[in-house]
Amino acid sequence: MTRALRGLARALALPVALFALWWLVSAGSKSFYMPPLRAILGAFGPTWSERWTSDVLPSIGRLLIGYAGAVLAGVALGVPLGGRPRLRAALEPALELFRAIPPPALVPVFLLLFGIGTPMKLLVIVSGAVWPVLLNTIEGVRAVDEVLADTCRCYGITGLARLRVLVLRGASPQIVTGMRQALSIAIILMVISEMFASSSGLGYAIVDFQRAFSIPQMWSGILLLGAIGVVLSLGFGVFEARALRWYHGQRTAHREGG
Amino acid sequence: MTRARHAGRRRAGGTPTLRWTARLGLGALGVAGVALVFELIPRAGVVSPRYLPPTSAMLGALGREAATAAFWRALLDTALGWALGLAIAVAAGAVAGVVIGSRRGLRASTASTIEFLRPIPSVALIPVAILLYGAQLRSTLLLVVYASFWPVLLQVIHGVTDVDPVARDTALSYRLSRWAMIRHLIVPTALPYLMTGVRLSAAVALILAITAELVIGSPGLGHEIEVARASSAVPVLYALILVVGLLGVAVNVGFRALERRVLAWHPSVRREVAA
Amino acid sequence: MTRSLEVRRLRKIYDGHGRIVEAIGDLSFACAAGELVCIVGPSGAGKTTLLKCVAGLIAPTTGEVVLGDARVAGPPPGMAVVFQDYGRSLFPWLTVWRNVALPLENRGAPRGELHRLVDDALAEVGLADVHTAYPWQLSGGMQQRVAIARAIAYRPAILLMDEPFAAVDAQTRADLEDLTLRVWRRHGITLLFVTHDIDEAVYMAQRVLILSASPTHVIEDLAIDLAAERDQLATRSSPRFAELRGRVYEQIQRAKRAGAPAAGEVRP
């Protein structure tokens, strides 16, 4: 028990210290752009309690839906590409080009094609977050163990069963790596899609505050955004630890020469 | 994106590697196919050509753009923001990485802070940048440096901690000076990791540079894209996006090749990166 | 329902980036149903290629493999294979129990029968108490026993084993050899056992097929007339064992000498 507490204390030590430092340093700040931390935290409650359901929750909702869409699309496309070298070779240069386009640069295109609204925002998120999932799925499917594949052939495990039992499970560590990268990208794109052309949402609110020079509110929004990022990241860590328990166990065993 | 794999990677079912000529041919076919699809979709009226011009119109606009001085100025502005931001981020990340990585105490106490700060999206800084620097290069740099710092930092920390304990014990038993140890032990071990970090950061830096220019309006291709959209110059819009994509491909391919070359010098030092 | 195996004039030529290698050249033999046949040969003799052709994993260039009365064209139903690399043939994300049960689940075995077969197989190999563990939590020998259990539970018509104990320490190898013999005797399956270990081959087999160097064919089909009950101590120290072992060793040495370095290359 005490060991866990000590670990927690060590983990929190620096962040708490930095926070305290920020509080102290900015306490007497007269700068317009960098208000005291106390003012920022004070602005938290009033600002976001009213905007919670109108801006923050819809944003998070769009983020999660877009993210889920990106993961599904990435896996659905990645599995066939991973298993067909010819198809992959044909599409590889085109995919390289598409994935090199910074997703924010596509926002004007999506605005043109779909106008302002939720579909556009979802598409922006998917268009950027799909790539890490797709590419990692391809890699994961390609790297399915040969001996395991032979074993499946011998025991007559083919087709859909093989996909479920061998390919997806075997590629899952790689897919989860892609999912983690996709999450950060999805958050960024959620914000960008709202900063750019929107009338609601967390990103829109932050930009709105900035335009109106409501600086403490703006900073509180940034902090909230950061907090959402951290919480989602921690949540993902929990998911990963459970889903890949077998993988982490196996790697530890290998490392210890088991 | 995906980490380098060791040479012994197996493929399912023992499918043979395609010869590079076959891969080139298939790739060219793929590109041609995609170009054809984007030529036909607007022509067939599936999407209005006002919103999605055919490939020929895009390429035409690209040609015309390439003849203007403004285009090349914007390209250079983007390149400057990217290169400068990347350089700063790599220098800061490498130094911080070496310092943090070489001391267990520092690693333990900074781990949580890094995990807290890393997921904070760099775009959260956009309003700050606008306030502080306006639509200038420094806004771009703020975003680029913040986002590109983390991959380098993490990779270098990993590299510094990856020093082979047997090699370190050997060095200690030969009583190598601290400086010699850094030169002969830490730097060669960390260098490949640094290269991977630089490659990852290079891609991120370009994305953030374009994003900053797009949203904030600092000079560069991103800003030109927004201008094209606002003035409904649709073929130019797509042409610029294509250019940005090609830039991205150039960065990805170039740094992958660079990384491979550096890795080739240190095959025995670089241990297998976890699959 | 165990079946007989017949290999007729098997030939396998590999085309590897310009170099043509004749791994197997005109190889024929037969196993009666329920027989235990060991295959030995010098390294690089294409033993694994042979096994893969018999298993239907790769297609021979010419010749055929007949299992029972059906020609093998792709992995046939009713066949189980135990590979040398146990670490990679077991699913790391499944427990031992699920690993053993998987082929049966896939075949659609009814629940009651499935449980009975799996529990029975695990008990037979002595792993009944670790069925909730993951393969990577077990030692090498235990992992290979899981692979064997999986094969037995499947109740195959024929069992192929590709140098299954080569990657295990000598002590464990002896235990596994005896386990295999027990399992074979209890279920009466046709068993084709490939190994590079001459002692192992003579200890376990009813017949030993000695292969030549590349291009591989059968040099000798040696009947092992040792007592049916094999014992690690008694059998291995018997004079007849030494004779048979010596014969096999001699043949393999001759095969190695006869195989010139460039043998097996068929220039176009």
Short mmCIF file of all heavy atoms in Angstrom, two decimals, chain C residues 66-120:
data_model
loop_
_atom_site.label_atom_id
_atom_site.label_comp_id
_atom_site.label_asym_id
_atom_site.label_seq_id
_atom_site.Cartn_x
_atom_site.Cartn_y
_atom_site.Cartn_z
N VAL C 66 -0.53 -39.42 -50.90
CA VAL C 66 -1.86 -40.00 -50.77
C VAL C 66 -2.10 -40.37 -49.31
O VAL C 66 -1.35 -41.15 -48.72
CB VAL C 66 -2.01 -41.26 -51.64
CG1 VAL C 66 -3.40 -41.86 -51.48
CG2 VAL C 66 -1.75 -40.91 -53.09
N LEU C 67 -3.15 -39.81 -48.75
CA LEU C 67 -3.49 -40.07 -47.35
C LEU C 67 -4.76 -40.91 -47.34
O LEU C 67 -5.82 -40.45 -47.75
CB LEU C 67 -3.72 -38.75 -46.62
CG LEU C 67 -4.00 -38.84 -45.12
CD1 LEU C 67 -2.82 -39.45 -44.39
CD2 LEU C 67 -4.29 -37.46 -44.56
N GLY C 68 -4.62 -42.16 -46.89
CA GLY C 68 -5.77 -43.07 -46.94
C GLY C 68 -6.04 -43.39 -48.38
O GLY C 68 -5.27 -44.07 -49.05
N ASP C 69 -7.15 -42.85 -48.89
CA ASP C 69 -7.42 -43.07 -50.31
C ASP C 69 -7.57 -41.75 -51.05
O ASP C 69 -8.00 -41.71 -52.20
CB ASP C 69 -8.68 -43.92 -50.48
CG ASP C 69 -9.83 -43.34 -49.66
OD1 ASP C 69 -9.65 -42.27 -49.04
OD2 ASP C 69 -10.91 -43.95 -49.62
N ALA C 70 -7.22 -40.66 -50.38
CA ALA C 70 -7.41 -39.35 -51.00
C ALA C 70 -6.07 -38.69 -51.25
O ALA C 70 -5.16 -38.73 -50.42
CB ALA C 70 -8.27 -38.47 -50.11
N ARG C 71 -5.98 -38.07 -52.41
CA ARG C 71 -4.77 -37.36 -52.76
C ARG C 71 -4.71 -36.06 -51.96
O ARG C 71 -5.70 -35.38 -51.77
CB ARG C 71 -4.81 -37.04 -54.25
CG ARG C 71 -3.50 -36.65 -54.79
CD ARG C 71 -3.34 -36.99 -56.27
NE ARG C 71 -2.13 -36.33 -56.69
CZ ARG C 71 -2.09 -35.23 -57.43
NH1 ARG C 71 -3.19 -34.72 -57.90
NH2 ARG C 71 -0.94 -34.64 -57.71
N VAL C 72 -3.50 -35.70 -51.53
CA VAL C 72 -3.32 -34.49 -50.73
C VAL C 72 -3.06 -33.30 -51.64
O VAL C 72 -2.08 -33.27 -52.38
CB VAL C 72 -2.14 -34.66 -49.74
CG1 VAL C 72 -1.74 -33.32 -49.14
CG2 VAL C 72 -2.51 -35.63 -48.63
N ALA C 73 -3.98 -32.33 -51.60
CA ALA C 73 -3.77 -31.10 -52.36
C ALA C 73 -4.13 -29.93 -51.47
O ALA C 73 -5.18 -29.36 -51.56
CB ALA C 73 -4.64 -31.12 -53.61
N GLY C 74 -3.24 -29.59 -50.57
CA GLY C 74 -3.61 -28.62 -49.54
C GLY C 74 -3.82 -29.39 -48.24
O GLY C 74 -4.07 -30.58 -48.27
N PRO C 75 -3.71 -28.71 -47.12
CA PRO C 75 -3.79 -29.40 -45.83
C PRO C 75 -5.07 -30.22 -45.70
O PRO C 75 -6.16 -29.66 -45.75
CB PRO C 75 -3.76 -28.26 -44.81
CG PRO C 75 -3.10 -27.12 -45.51
CD PRO C 75 -3.46 -27.27 -46.96
N PRO C 76 -4.96 -31.53 -45.57
CA PRO C 76 -6.16 -32.35 -45.56
C PRO C 76 -6.81 -32.33 -44.18
O PRO C 76 -6.15 -32.09 -43.17
CB PRO C 76 -5.61 -33.75 -45.87
CG PRO C 76 -4.23 -33.73 -45.35
CD PRO C 76 -3.73 -32.32 -45.49
N PRO C 77 -8.11 -32.58 -44.12
CA PRO C 77 -8.75 -32.70 -42.82
C PRO C 77 -8.24 -33.94 -42.11
O PRO C 77 -7.86 -34.91 -42.76
CB PRO C 77 -10.24 -32.81 -43.15
CG PRO C 77 -10.29 -33.26 -44.56
CD PRO C 77 -9.05 -32.75 -45.24
N GLY C 78 -8.23 -33.93 -40.82
CA GLY C 78 -7.79 -35.10 -40.09
C GLY C 78 -6.30 -35.22 -39.98
O GLY C 78 -5.76 -36.30 -39.78
N MET C 79 -5.59 -34.10 -40.13
CA MET C 79 -4.14 -34.13 -39.97
C MET C 79 -3.73 -33.11 -38.93
O MET C 79 -4.26 -32.02 -38.89
CB MET C 79 -3.48 -33.79 -41.29
CG MET C 79 -1.96 -33.75 -41.18
SD MET C 79 -1.24 -33.07 -42.65
CE MET C 79 -1.74 -31.39 -42.48
N ALA C 80 -2.80 -33.50 -38.08
CA ALA C 80 -2.28 -32.57 -37.08
C ALA C 80 -0.77 -32.50 -37.21
O ALA C 80 -0.12 -33.50 -37.50
CB ALA C 80 -2.66 -33.03 -35.67
N VAL C 81 -0.23 -31.30 -37.01
CA VAL C 81 1.21 -31.11 -37.14
C VAL C 81 1.76 -30.49 -35.86
O VAL C 81 1.14 -29.58 -35.30
CB VAL C 81 1.55 -30.19 -38.33
CG1 VAL C 81 3.05 -30.10 -38.51
CG2 VAL C 81 0.91 -30.70 -39.60
N VAL C 82 2.88 -30.99 -35.40
CA VAL C 82 3.58 -30.38 -34.28
C VAL C 82 4.90 -29.83 -34.82
O VAL C 82 5.73 -30.58 -35.32
CB VAL C 82 3.84 -31.39 -33.15
CG1 VAL C 82 4.68 -30.77 -32.05
CG2 VAL C 82 2.53 -31.89 -32.58
N PHE C 83 5.07 -28.53 -34.74
CA PHE C 83 6.26 -27.89 -35.28
C PHE C 83 7.37 -27.82 -34.26
O PHE C 83 7.15 -27.90 -33.05
CB PHE C 83 5.91 -26.47 -35.76
CG PHE C 83 4.98 -26.44 -36.93
CD1 PHE C 83 3.64 -26.18 -36.75
CD2 PHE C 83 5.45 -26.66 -38.21
CE1 PHE C 83 2.78 -26.15 -37.83
CE2 PHE C 83 4.60 -26.63 -39.30
CZ PHE C 83 3.25 -26.38 -39.11
N GLN C 84 8.58 -27.56 -34.78
CA GLN C 84 9.73 -27.44 -33.87
C GLN C 84 9.60 -26.18 -33.02
O GLN C 84 9.90 -26.18 -31.84
CB GLN C 84 11.01 -27.40 -34.70
CG GLN C 84 12.24 -27.09 -33.88
CD GLN C 84 13.48 -27.02 -34.74
OE1 GLN C 84 13.47 -27.38 -35.92
NE2 GLN C 84 14.56 -26.54 -34.17
N ASP C 85 9.17 -25.10 -33.67
CA ASP C 85 9.14 -23.81 -32.98
C ASP C 85 7.85 -23.66 -32.20
O ASP C 85 6.92 -22.98 -32.63
CB ASP C 85 9.28 -22.69 -34.04
CG ASP C 85 9.81 -21.43 -33.44
OD1 ASP C 85 9.71 -21.27 -32.20
OD2 ASP C 85 10.33 -20.59 -34.19
N TYR C 86 7.79 -24.28 -31.03
CA TYR C 86 6.54 -24.29 -30.26
C TYR C 86 6.13 -22.88 -29.86
O TYR C 86 4.95 -22.58 -29.74
CB TYR C 86 6.69 -25.16 -29.01
CG TYR C 86 8.00 -24.95 -28.29
CD1 TYR C 86 8.19 -23.84 -27.46
CD2 TYR C 86 9.05 -25.83 -28.45
CE1 TYR C 86 9.40 -23.64 -26.82
CE2 TYR C 86 10.26 -25.64 -27.80
CZ TYR C 86 10.43 -24.54 -26.99
OH TYR C 86 11.62 -24.34 -26.37
N GLY C 87 7.14 -22.02 -29.64
CA GLY C 87 6.83 -20.66 -29.21
C GLY C 87 5.96 -19.93 -30.22
O GLY C 87 5.20 -19.05 -29.87
N ARG C 88 6.12 -20.30 -31.49
CA ARG C 88 5.38 -19.59 -32.51
C ARG C 88 4.18 -20.36 -33.02
O ARG C 88 3.45 -19.86 -33.86
CB ARG C 88 6.32 -19.25 -33.67
CG ARG C 88 7.38 -18.22 -33.27
CD ARG C 88 8.46 -18.12 -34.30
NE ARG C 88 7.93 -17.75 -35.59
CZ ARG C 88 8.58 -17.85 -36.73
NH1 ARG C 88 9.81 -18.36 -36.73
NH2 ARG C 88 8.06 -17.48 -37.87
N SER C 89 3.98 -21.60 -32.56
CA SER C 89 2.84 -22.33 -33.09
C SER C 89 1.65 -22.29 -32.15
O SER C 89 0.56 -22.70 -32.50
CB SER C 89 3.22 -23.79 -33.37
OG SER C 89 3.23 -24.51 -32.16
N LEU C 90 1.87 -21.77 -30.94
CA LEU C 90 0.76 -21.61 -30.01
C LEU C 90 0.31 -20.17 -30.02
O LEU C 90 1.11 -19.25 -30.18
CB LEU C 90 1.21 -22.00 -28.59
CG LEU C 90 1.62 -23.45 -28.39
CD1 LEU C 90 2.20 -23.66 -27.00
CD2 LEU C 90 0.43 -24.37 -28.61
N PHE C 91 -1.00 -19.96 -29.85
CA PHE C 91 -1.54 -18.61 -29.86
C PHE C 91 -1.27 -17.92 -28.52
O PHE C 91 -1.78 -18.36 -27.49
CB PHE C 91 -3.06 -18.65 -30.09
CG PHE C 91 -3.44 -19.16 -31.45
CD1 PHE C 91 -3.59 -20.52 -31.68
CD2 PHE C 91 -3.65 -18.28 -32.50
CE1 PHE C 91 -3.93 -20.99 -32.93
CE2 PHE C 91 -4.01 -18.74 -33.75
CZ PHE C 91 -4.15 -20.10 -33.98
N PRO C 92 -0.44 -16.86 -28.53
CA PRO C 92 -0.06 -16.25 -27.25
C PRO C 92 -1.21 -15.53 -26.56
O PRO C 92 -1.12 -15.25 -25.37
CB PRO C 92 1.04 -15.25 -27.64
CG PRO C 92 0.88 -15.01 -29.09
CD PRO C 92 0.23 -16.22 -29.68
N TRP C 93 -2.31 -15.26 -27.27
CA TRP C 93 -3.39 -14.56 -26.63
C TRP C 93 -4.46 -15.50 -26.09
O TRP C 93 -5.50 -15.05 -25.60
CB TRP C 93 -4.03 -13.55 -27.61
CG TRP C 93 -4.36 -14.13 -28.94
CD1 TRP C 93 -5.47 -14.83 -29.30
CD2 TRP C 93 -3.55 -14.06 -30.12
NE1 TRP C 93 -5.41 -15.19 -30.61
CE2 TRP C 93 -4.23 -14.74 -31.15
CE3 TRP C 93 -2.31 -13.49 -30.41
CZ2 TRP C 93 -3.72 -14.86 -32.44
CZ3 TRP C 93 -1.79 -13.61 -31.69
CH2 TRP C 93 -2.51 -14.30 -32.69
N LEU C 94 -4.24 -16.79 -26.22
CA LEU C 94 -5.19 -17.77 -25.69
C LEU C 94 -4.54 -18.56 -24.56
O LEU C 94 -3.35 -18.81 -24.56
CB LEU C 94 -5.62 -18.74 -26.79
CG LEU C 94 -6.41 -18.16 -27.95
CD1 LEU C 94 -6.71 -19.26 -28.96
CD2 LEU C 94 -7.71 -17.53 -27.47
N THR C 95 -5.38 -18.94 -23.60
CA THR C 95 -4.85 -19.80 -22.54
C THR C 95 -4.54 -21.18 -23.12
O THR C 95 -4.92 -21.50 -24.24
CB THR C 95 -5.89 -19.98 -21.42
OG1 THR C 95 -7.07 -20.56 -22.00
CG2 THR C 95 -6.23 -18.66 -20.77
N VAL C 96 -3.87 -21.97 -22.31
CA VAL C 96 -3.54 -23.33 -22.72
C VAL C 96 -4.80 -24.08 -23.13
O VAL C 96 -4.85 -24.72 -24.19
CB VAL C 96 -2.80 -24.06 -21.57
CG1 VAL C 96 -2.79 -25.56 -21.79
CG2 VAL C 96 -1.40 -23.52 -21.44
N TRP C 97 -5.83 -23.98 -22.31
CA TRP C 97 -7.07 -24.70 -22.58
C TRP C 97 -7.67 -24.26 -23.92
O TRP C 97 -8.04 -25.09 -24.76
CB TRP C 97 -8.08 -24.45 -21.46
CG TRP C 97 -9.15 -25.50 -21.36
CD1 TRP C 97 -9.16 -26.59 -20.55
CD2 TRP C 97 -10.35 -25.55 -22.12
NE1 TRP C 97 -10.30 -27.33 -20.74
CE2 TRP C 97 -11.05 -26.72 -21.71
CE3 TRP C 97 -10.94 -24.76 -23.12
CZ2 TRP C 97 -12.28 -27.10 -22.24
CZ3 TRP C 97 -12.16 -25.14 -23.65
CH2 TRP C 97 -12.81 -26.29 -23.21
N ARG C 98 -7.73 -22.94 -24.14
CA ARG C 98 -8.32 -22.44 -25.38
C ARG C 98 -7.48 -22.83 -26.59
O ARG C 98 -8.01 -23.09 -27.67
CB ARG C 98 -8.44 -20.91 -25.32
CG ARG C 98 -9.47 -20.37 -24.36
CD ARG C 98 -10.90 -20.66 -24.75
NE ARG C 98 -11.18 -20.46 -26.17
CZ ARG C 98 -11.42 -19.28 -26.73
NH1 ARG C 98 -11.39 -18.19 -25.99
NH2 ARG C 98 -11.69 -19.19 -28.02
N ASN C 99 -6.14 -22.86 -26.38
CA ASN C 99 -5.26 -23.28 -27.47
C ASN C 99 -5.58 -24.70 -27.91
O ASN C 99 -5.68 -24.99 -29.10
CB ASN C 99 -3.79 -23.22 -27.02
CG ASN C 99 -3.08 -21.98 -27.54
OD1 ASN C 99 -2.82 -21.86 -28.73
ND2 ASN C 99 -2.80 -21.06 -26.65
N VAL C 100 -5.73 -25.59 -26.92
CA VAL C 100 -5.98 -26.99 -27.25
C VAL C 100 -7.37 -27.13 -27.87
O VAL C 100 -7.59 -27.95 -28.76
CB VAL C 100 -5.85 -27.86 -25.98
CG1 VAL C 100 -6.24 -29.29 -26.26
CG2 VAL C 100 -4.43 -27.79 -25.45
N ALA C 101 -8.31 -26.32 -27.40
CA ALA C 101 -9.68 -26.46 -27.86
C ALA C 101 -9.92 -25.85 -29.24
O ALA C 101 -10.88 -26.21 -29.92
CB ALA C 101 -10.62 -25.79 -26.85
N LEU C 102 -9.05 -24.94 -29.66
CA LEU C 102 -9.33 -24.15 -30.87
C LEU C 102 -9.66 -24.97 -32.12
O LEU C 102 -10.68 -24.73 -32.76
CB LEU C 102 -8.18 -23.18 -31.15
CG LEU C 102 -8.45 -22.20 -32.28
CD1 LEU C 102 -9.60 -21.29 -31.91
CD2 LEU C 102 -7.22 -21.38 -32.57
N PRO C 103 -8.82 -25.95 -32.51
CA PRO C 103 -9.15 -26.70 -33.73
C PRO C 103 -10.49 -27.40 -33.63
O PRO C 103 -11.24 -27.50 -34.61
CB PRO C 103 -8.01 -27.71 -33.86
CG PRO C 103 -6.90 -27.16 -33.05
CD PRO C 103 -7.54 -26.41 -31.94
N LEU C 104 -10.83 -27.88 -32.42
CA LEU C 104 -12.11 -28.56 -32.24
C LEU C 104 -13.26 -27.58 -32.36
O LEU C 104 -14.29 -27.87 -32.99
CB LEU C 104 -12.15 -29.25 -30.87
CG LEU C 104 -11.21 -30.44 -30.74
CD1 LEU C 104 -11.16 -30.90 -29.29
CD2 LEU C 104 -11.67 -31.58 -31.64
N GLU C 105 -13.09 -26.39 -31.76
CA GLU C 105 -14.13 -25.36 -31.88
C GLU C 105 -14.36 -25.04 -33.32
O GLU C 105 -15.50 -24.91 -33.79
CB GLU C 105 -13.67 -24.08 -31.16
CG GLU C 105 -13.94 -24.06 -29.69
CD GLU C 105 -13.30 -22.85 -29.02
OE1 GLU C 105 -12.88 -21.92 -29.75
OE2 GLU C 105 -13.20 -22.84 -27.80
N ASN C 106 -13.24 -24.91 -34.04
CA ASN C 106 -13.36 -24.53 -35.44
C ASN C 106 -14.07 -25.59 -36.25
O ASN C 106 -14.75 -25.30 -37.24
CB ASN C 106 -11.95 -24.27 -36.01
CG ASN C 106 -11.97 -23.76 -37.42
OD1 ASN C 106 -12.47 -22.68 -37.69
ND2 ASN C 106 -11.47 -24.56 -38.34
N ARG C 107 -13.87 -26.84 -35.83
CA ARG C 107 -14.50 -27.93 -36.56
C ARG C 107 -15.97 -28.05 -36.19
O ARG C 107 -16.72 -28.76 -36.83
CB ARG C 107 -13.75 -29.23 -36.24
CG ARG C 107 -14.02 -30.36 -37.23
CD ARG C 107 -12.99 -31.45 -37.10
NE ARG C 107 -13.08 -32.12 -35.80
CZ ARG C 107 -12.27 -33.12 -35.44
NH1 ARG C 107 -11.31 -33.51 -36.26
NH2 ARG C 107 -12.38 -33.69 -34.27
N GLY C 108 -16.37 -27.36 -35.14
CA GLY C 108 -17.78 -27.40 -34.75
C GLY C 108 -18.12 -28.54 -33.83
O GLY C 108 -19.25 -29.02 -33.82
N ALA C 109 -17.17 -28.98 -33.03
CA ALA C 109 -17.46 -30.09 -32.11
C ALA C 109 -18.46 -29.63 -31.06
O ALA C 109 -18.39 -28.51 -30.56
CB ALA C 109 -16.17 -30.56 -31.44
N PRO C 110 -19.41 -30.47 -30.69
CA PRO C 110 -20.40 -30.11 -29.66
C PRO C 110 -19.72 -29.92 -28.31
O PRO C 110 -18.70 -30.53 -28.02
CB PRO C 110 -21.36 -31.30 -29.63
CG PRO C 110 -20.72 -32.38 -30.40
CD PRO C 110 -19.69 -31.79 -31.29
N ARG C 111 -20.31 -29.03 -27.50
CA ARG C 111 -19.64 -28.56 -26.28
C ARG C 111 -19.19 -29.68 -25.35
O ARG C 111 -18.08 -29.68 -24.84
CB ARG C 111 -20.59 -27.63 -25.51
CG ARG C 111 -20.66 -26.25 -26.12
CD ARG C 111 -21.04 -25.23 -25.09
NE ARG C 111 -19.96 -25.11 -24.10
CZ ARG C 111 -20.10 -24.52 -22.92
NH1 ARG C 111 -21.26 -24.05 -22.57
NH2 ARG C 111 -19.08 -24.43 -22.09
N GLY C 112 -20.09 -30.61 -25.10
CA GLY C 112 -19.75 -31.67 -24.16
C GLY C 112 -18.56 -32.47 -24.62
O GLY C 112 -17.60 -32.71 -23.88
N GLU C 113 -18.60 -32.87 -25.90
CA GLU C 113 -17.51 -33.66 -26.46
C GLU C 113 -16.21 -32.86 -26.45
O GLU C 113 -15.15 -33.37 -26.13
CB GLU C 113 -17.88 -34.06 -27.89
CG GLU C 113 -16.85 -35.00 -28.52
CD GLU C 113 -17.18 -35.25 -29.98
OE1 GLU C 113 -18.38 -35.17 -30.32
OE2 GLU C 113 -16.25 -35.51 -30.75
N LEU C 114 -16.33 -31.57 -26.78
CA LEU C 114 -15.15 -30.73 -26.83
C LEU C 114 -14.46 -30.69 -25.47
O LEU C 114 -13.26 -30.89 -25.36
CB LEU C 114 -15.56 -29.31 -27.27
CG LEU C 114 -14.44 -28.34 -27.54
CD1 LEU C 114 -14.78 -27.52 -28.77
CD2 LEU C 114 -14.23 -27.39 -26.38
N HIS C 115 -15.25 -30.44 -24.44
CA HIS C 115 -14.66 -30.38 -23.09
C HIS C 115 -14.00 -31.70 -22.73
O HIS C 115 -12.91 -31.73 -22.15
CB HIS C 115 -15.74 -30.03 -22.07
CG HIS C 115 -15.96 -28.56 -21.96
ND1 HIS C 115 -15.45 -27.80 -20.92
CD2 HIS C 115 -16.61 -27.69 -22.76
CE1 HIS C 115 -15.79 -26.54 -21.09
NE2 HIS C 115 -16.50 -26.44 -22.21
N ARG C 116 -14.67 -32.77 -23.09
CA ARG C 116 -14.13 -34.09 -22.73
C ARG C 116 -12.78 -34.31 -23.43
O ARG C 116 -11.80 -34.71 -22.81
CB ARG C 116 -15.14 -35.16 -23.13
CG ARG C 116 -14.77 -36.56 -22.68
CD ARG C 116 -15.82 -37.58 -23.13
NE ARG C 116 -16.11 -37.55 -24.56
CZ ARG C 116 -15.37 -38.13 -25.48
NH1 ARG C 116 -14.30 -38.80 -25.15
NH2 ARG C 116 -15.71 -38.05 -26.77
N LEU C 117 -12.74 -34.01 -24.72
CA LEU C 117 -11.51 -34.25 -25.49
C LEU C 117 -10.36 -33.38 -24.97
O LEU C 117 -9.24 -33.85 -24.81
CB LEU C 117 -11.76 -33.93 -26.98
CG LEU C 117 -12.58 -34.96 -27.73
CD1 LEU C 117 -13.00 -34.41 -29.09
CD2 LEU C 117 -11.78 -36.24 -27.93
N VAL C 118 -10.67 -32.11 -24.71
CA VAL C 118 -9.60 -31.20 -24.28
C VAL C 118 -9.08 -31.60 -22.90
O VAL C 118 -7.87 -31.70 -22.68
CB VAL C 118 -10.11 -29.74 -24.27
CG1 VAL C 118 -9.07 -28.83 -23.66
CG2 VAL C 118 -10.44 -29.30 -25.68
N ASP C 119 -10.00 -31.83 -21.97
CA ASP C 119 -9.57 -32.21 -20.62
C ASP C 119 -8.77 -33.49 -20.65
O ASP C 119 -7.74 -33.64 -19.97
CB ASP C 119 -10.79 -32.35 -19.70
CG ASP C 119 -11.45 -31.01 -19.42
OD1 ASP C 119 -10.75 -29.99 -19.49
OD2 ASP C 119 -12.68 -30.99 -19.14
N ASP C 120 -9.24 -34.43 -21.46
CA ASP C 120 -8.57 -35.71 -21.59
C ASP C 120 -7.14 -35.52 -22.12
O ASP C 120 -6.18 -36.08 -21.58
CB ASP C 120 -9.38 -36.58 -22.56
CG ASP C 120 -8.96 -38.02 -22.48
OD1 ASP C 120 -8.88 -38.55 -21.36
OD2 ASP C 120 -8.69 -38.62 -23.55
#
